[in-house]
Amino acid sequence: MTEVSDAEVGLPDDRPELTDEQVAFLASVFDLVRDGQTETVTRYLDAGVPVNLTNPNGDTLLILAAYHEHAALVGALLDRGADTERLNGRGQTALSAAVFRQQAGIVTALVSHGANPTAGSPDARATAAYFQLTEMSALLDADAIPPVATARADD
């Protein structure tokens, strides 16, 4: 199993040690993501749970939401700045998970938020090609999905 650093999980270097109860709570957030509990998860994120929280397998909340086909939760995580380029312990991204699960809406959301179709191993394009997912391959075309407009710092 790959060790994940505090910085990779999104925790500050000078944080206090977590209690067993806090660790159990954070682990429960992953179960909520798997179950698609968008309202509860977003409430926890807004209260301070790191949006890039990562489990011991390297799965982020975004990777799990994409894999378990929870489009609303993927959108909420992206709106809160979830990192689309994080790799889990198997080298997979949220985008490759969404492609594998053939979730066009999630693929569109991830790509429009900057997810790189060639990140990871296997990457999203290789996943689409291997499983002959022509609709997913078409979505991953560089011109198929416009990027989300973001506010500039000088606006």
Side-chain angles (χ1 to χ4, degrees):
M1 185 178 311
T2 304
E3 288 294 318
V4 179
S5 72
D6 289 347
E8 290 174 311
V9 175
L11 298 174
D13 291 334
D14 60 347
R15 68 169 175 80
E17 287 298 315
L18 298 175
T19 66
D20 290 342
E21 292 80 18
Q22 291 168 323
V23 170
F25 167 74
L26 291 173
S28 76
V29 174
F30 291 100
D31 292 330
L32 293 169
V33 169
R34 287 181 193 94
D35 292 339
Q37 299 296 317
T38 303
E39 185 177 315
T40 302
V41 172
T42 55
R43 209 172 46 242
Y44 290 157
L45 293 170
D46 294 343
V49 170
V51 71
N52 290 313
L53 185 67
T54 305
N55 70 18
N57 296 324
D59 291 316
T60 63
L61 302 177
L62 184 61
I63 290 171
L64 290 175
Y67 181 80
H68 289 282
E69 305 176 13
H70 300 303
L73 186 49
V74 167
L77 291 163
L78 291 170
D79 289 346
R80 286 163 176 78
D83 185 352
T84 61
E85 300 306 301
R86 289 283 183 103
L87 304 178
N88 67 14
R90 295 173 301 285
Q92 301 159 330
T93 63
L95 183 57
S96 62
V99 166
F100 175 74
R101 301 295 287 220
Q102 300 180 60
Q103 292 296 302
I106 295 174
V107 169
T108 300
L110 289 165
V111 171
S112 69
H113 279 81
N116 180 352
T118 61
S121 179
D123 66 42
R125 286 196 170 132
T127 299
Y130 181 82
F131 292 104
Q132 299 177 353
L133 306 174
T134 55
E135 179 186 358
M136 296 295 106
S137 292
L139 277 177
L140 297 172
D141 179 342
D143 298 326
I145 303 171
V148 170
T150 56
R152 292 181 7 187
D154 58 346
D155 284 346

